[in-house]
Amino acid sequence: MFVRPLHHRLATYRTHHHHTYIQRTMMSFSTTADDDTSTTTVAVICPPDSPCLNAAPKNIPHTRLLIHNDMESFQRDPHFADVSAIMFVALGGNVSLLPQIFDAAEEAPKKIKWVHSLFAGVDALAPFIKSHLLQKKHQHVPLTNGRGAFSESLAEYVMTAALHFNKQISRVQQNRIARTWDKFVIPTLA
């Protein structure tokens, strides 16, 4: 079988959840030149009921998501032997599963080709990175993160906080509760 260089199929999606836009990118890898219909199986380490998954697309072409937060559930999944990528969701995800899934995949026909952290910070992954990804035999496995995925949401939060304090919203709310009209100058941000 001829193996071509890995290429990415990007599926970017957004959701409107509590006035916050979340943009995330999921990557899947295609490895064979003669089989463009191959399916990439991604082990998503996250509670299945996590709100982080509300924005997840239901059908990503040629990609299967196994969403579990314990090893027993992953092992019971009939597609677990096909896992070739791992996505870690820090909000509720069980970080101790990273080495377990990685090691289990080493014994399966498909090896892990990619590890992704949904959030920008990878501090929680440090022990796994040191024990697995920095080892010579695994240095080819890329580790990516969600850097920039939450930029719009963070920018909106900064604007909200700046306006809240600049316009003295707490003071206005206290005046409304007290039914008083305290006269004061409201500055502009500029």
Side-chain angles (χ1 to χ4, degrees):
M1 170 178 15
F2 172 74
V3 177
R4 69 177 169 196
L6 298 175
H7 73 277
H8 305 130
R9 291 185 301 265
L10 299 177
T12 302
Y13 55 97
R14 306 174 109 172
T15 183
H16 185 70
H17 181 68
H18 300 289
H19 304 288
T20 302
Y21 287 97
I22 300 172
Q23 182 177 5
R24 295 183 280 181
T25 302
M26 297 187 65
M27 303 167 72
S28 62
F29 295 96
S30 174
T31 58
T32 60
D34 55 348
D35 185 8
D36 284 341
T37 63
S38 65
T39 298
T40 300
T41 302
V42 182
V44 181
I45 302 172
C46 178
D49 60 349
S50 172
C52 291
L53 301 175
N54 291 343
K58 302 305 175 224
N59 295 308
I60 304 170
H62 308 293
T63 306
R64 178 184 300 116
L65 302 178
L66 310 183
I67 304 168
H68 303 292
N69 207 30
D70 63 272
M71 196 60 184
E72 294 78 27
S73 296
F74 275 114
Q75 290 172 330
R76 278 194 309 265
D77 195 300
H79 301 289
F80 183 62
D82 300 328
V83 169
S84 61
I86 303 172
M87 177 186 286
F88 175 70
V89 180
L91 188 62
N94 182 353
V95 72
S96 69
L97 291 177
L98 279 163
Q100 294 177 51
I101 293 170
F102 197 93
D103 292 343
E106 284 300 299
E107 298 170 14
K110 291 190 175 184
K111 309 280 188 241
I112 298 297
K113 296 177 180 72
W114 171 58
V115 177
H116 180 73
S117 172
L118 182 61
F119 299 140
V122 294
D123 294 350
L125 281 63
F128 167 73
I129 293 168
K130 185 176 181 180
S131 68
H132 286 73
L133 298 184
L134 292 180
Q135 300 304 312
K136 188 170 182 93
K137 67 180 181 176
H138 300 301
Q139 286 181 349
H140 65 282
V141 178
L143 170 64
T144 57
N145 66 6
R147 180 179 157 220
F150 301 99
S151 296
E152 286 182 13
S153 177
L154 185 56
E156 289 176 354
Y157 179 80
V158 168
M159 289 303 302
T160 300
L163 288 168
H164 175 84
F165 292 110
N166 184 270
K167 302 302 180 190
Q168 302 178 44
I169 299 301
S170 296
R171 183 178 186 175
V172 171
Q173 288 174 331
Q174 288 172 353
N175 285 345
R176 184 178 58 84
I177 291 168
R179 296 178 180 247
T180 62
W181 297 106
D182 182 19
K183 295 178 184 176
F184 60 96
V185 177
I186 299 177
T188 62
L189 284 176

